[in-house]
Amino acid sequence: MLANNKYVIVYALLIFQKAFDTVRHSTLFHKYANIDLPDFVYNWLECFFRNHSHCISFDNQLSDPLAISASIGSVVGPVSYVVTASDLHPVSSQNVILKYADDIYLIIPSNNQSTCKAEIHHIEQWANNNNLKLNRSKSKEIVFTKPRCCQQTDLPPPIVEGFERVQHISVLGVTLTYNLSMTTHIDNIITG
């Protein structure tokens, strides 16, 4: 990916507001039905999420119970979120979306930077279709340059409105900082 590019733009920590609380069960089970799951696993999961309700107690009064039709915040939550996000793919084949549970990273090479806004719009549209909302104020942008090019490379100004450009990000508890040693590491990861 970096072979012919001076830098990559990474949209990091694409955060969805209350992701585990807003995934609709109907959407989730449509996606579960489209993967190769044994029937007994599908049935167990469907039974696990079925017939849950909640009510509110205030001032010694109890509301009527309401059915819960969205929320995966349980032991099967991370797996259910992975299934939910399984159909999220980049618009351009030159871009990459990396996912781990509810952490999503969009990687765009410099020669494809014109697709940044379209990719973010696509992710927001996907989120809307899945009862999620992208939280732009918590999402970040970082630019990694190709090793030995960083002093000759003019970085683009921030491209997508509402994304803070940062000098470091945390990926699964590991902090990646924009510097020469890290760009070498990123280059090796991306180019394989």
Side-chain angles (χ1 to χ4, degrees), residues 128-192:
N128 187 49
N129 292 340
N130 286 276
N131 203 38
L132 298 167
K133 182 174 174 139
L134 182 65
N135 188 339
R136 285 180 176 237
S137 66
K138 289 188 177 180
S139 300
K140 308 294 179 202
E141 172 187 275
I142 189 167
V143 179
F144 291 105
T145 59
K146 191 171 180 179
R148 296 174 297 280
C149 288
C150 68
Q151 292 169 337
Q152 301 115 6
T153 302
D154 291 325
L155 299 182
I159 296 170
V160 179
E161 184 179 326
F163 283 72
E164 176 188 5
R165 176 156 306 161
V166 296
Q167 295 297 311
H168 59 86
I169 58 171
S170 180
V171 177
L172 303 176
V174 176
T175 300
L176 303 178
T177 303
Y178 171 73
N179 64 36
L180 281 177
S181 62
M182 186 49 62
T183 55
T184 301
H185 181 65
I186 294 292
D187 186 41
N188 291 336
I189 290 172
I190 294 172
T191 59

Side-chain angles (χ1 to χ4, degrees), residues 107-126:
I107 302 171
I108 300 176
S110 62
N111 69 354
N112 213 28
Q113 78 176 29
S114 64
T115 66
C116 291
K117 290 180 182 179
E119 290 286 4
I120 296 298
H121 176 73
H122 169 71
I123 290 170
E124 286 179 316
Q125 191 173 32
W126 172 88

Side-chain angles (χ1 to χ4, degrees), residues 2-188:
L2 278 179
N4 298 318
N5 291 279
K6 293 181 179 179
Y7 58 85
V8 293
I9 302 168
V10 178
Y11 290 98
L13 298 173
L14 296 174
I15 304 292
F16 298 106
Q17 295 175 348
K18 300 185 179 190
F20 281 46
D21 295 334
T22 59
V23 172
R24 282 188 217 100
H25 296 163
S26 59
T27 303
L28 173 64
F29 280 94
H30 177 72
K31 293 180 183 192
Y32 268 133
N34 288 321
I35 61 175
D36 190 22
L37 271 181
D39 287 344
F40 74 92
V41 173
Y42 179 90
N43 292 336
W44 181 88
L45 287 164
E46 195 274 332
C47 184
F48 180 83
F49 284 106
R50 186 178 350 122
N51 296 330
H52 287 249
S53 61
H54 69 95
C55 57
I56 297 172
S57 174
F58 178 74
D59 198 24
N60 292 327
Q61 302 236 356
L62 192 62
S63 71
D64 291 333
L66 291 174
I68 297 174
S69 60
S71 179
I72 56 171
S74 65
V75 287
V76 294
V79 170
S80 294
Y81 188 82
V82 168
V83 170
T84 297
S86 64
D87 60 352
L88 174 59
H89 304 288
V91 174
S92 170
S93 62
Q94 293 179 28
N95 301 334
V96 176
I97 291 180
L98 301 175
K99 300 174 263 188
Y100 180 79
D102 62 341
D103 291 346
I104 295 178
Y105 303 90
L106 171 63
I107 302 171
I108 300 176
S110 62
N111 69 354
N112 213 28
Q113 78 176 29
S114 64
T115 66
C116 291
K117 290 180 182 179
E119 290 286 4
I120 296 298
H121 176 73
H122 169 71
I123 290 170
E124 286 179 316
Q125 191 173 32
W126 172 88
N128 187 49
N129 292 340
N130 286 276
N131 203 38
L132 298 167
K133 182 174 174 139
L134 182 65
N135 188 339
R136 285 180 176 237
S137 66
K138 289 188 177 180
S139 300
K140 308 294 179 202
E141 172 187 275
I142 189 167
V143 179
F144 291 105
T145 59
K146 191 171 180 179
R148 296 174 297 280
C149 288
C150 68
Q151 292 169 337
Q152 301 115 6
T153 302
D154 291 325
L155 299 182
I159 296 170
V160 179
E161 184 179 326
F163 283 72
E164 176 188 5
R165 176 156 306 161
V166 296
Q167 295 297 311
H168 59 86
I169 58 171
S170 180
V171 177
L172 303 176
V174 176
T175 300
L176 303 178
T177 303
Y178 171 73
N179 64 36
L180 281 177
S181 62
M182 186 49 62
T183 55
T184 301
H185 181 65
I186 294 292
D187 186 41
N188 291 336

